């Protein structure tokens, strides 16, 4: 589900950036050349436990980088 949203957002951003191309009547197609998933920032929080102590909670995130490529139709 999240990846589907990512792809729709990617396509929408591409349309905005390259508005000189007509999406319906073009002589090329877009494909995903490469996908990279890296570790993003980690938010560190403390959760209280008995006797005045605390446990560390790490809320991890990730960065997803998608590269598009144009290829001519044959």
């Amino acid at each position: 589900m999240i990846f589907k949203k990512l792809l729709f957002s990617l396509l929408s951003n591409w349309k905005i950036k390259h508005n000189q191309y007509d999406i319906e009547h073009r002589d090329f197609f877009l494909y995903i050349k490469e996908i990279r998933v890296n570790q993003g920032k980690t938010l560190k929080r403390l959760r209280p436990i008995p006797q005045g102590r605390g446990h560390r909670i790490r809320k991890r995130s990730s960065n997803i980088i998608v590269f598009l490529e144009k290829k001519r139709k044959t």
Side-chain angles (χ1 to χ4, degrees):
M1 185 66 175
I2 294 173
F3 192 70
K4 183 179 175 181
K5 282 184 173 182
L6 175 75
L7 290 178
F8 281 131
S9 174
L10 179 73
L11 185 59
S12 176
N13 290 338
W14 189 90
K15 286 179 187 178
I16 291 170
K17 187 174 179 182
H18 303 298
N19 58 1
Q20 72 267 19
Y21 296 115
D22 187 14
I23 294 297
E24 286 78 25
H25 305 294
R26 60 178 188 234
D27 59 344
F28 62 89
F29 59 92
L30 293 173
Y31 70 96
I32 297 173
K33 181 179 179 181
E34 184 178 353
I35 299 175
R36 293 182 191 170
V37 180
N38 299 325
Q39 183 176 353
K41 292 183 177 181
T42 301
L43 298 174
K44 296 175 183 168
R45 302 286 185 259
L46 288 176
R47 170 173 280 164
I49 61 169
Q51 299 180 356
R53 298 178 187 168
H55 274 269
R56 183 175 290 178
I57 298 172
R58 292 183 208 105
K59 296 184 177 185
R60 298 177 186 206
S61 64
S62 60
N63 295 330
I64 302 174
I65 303 169
V66 180
F67 294 98
L68 290 179
E69 184 86 13
K70 290 191 299 187
K71 192 169 188 177
R72 288 210 167 265
K73 290 184 180 178
T74 57

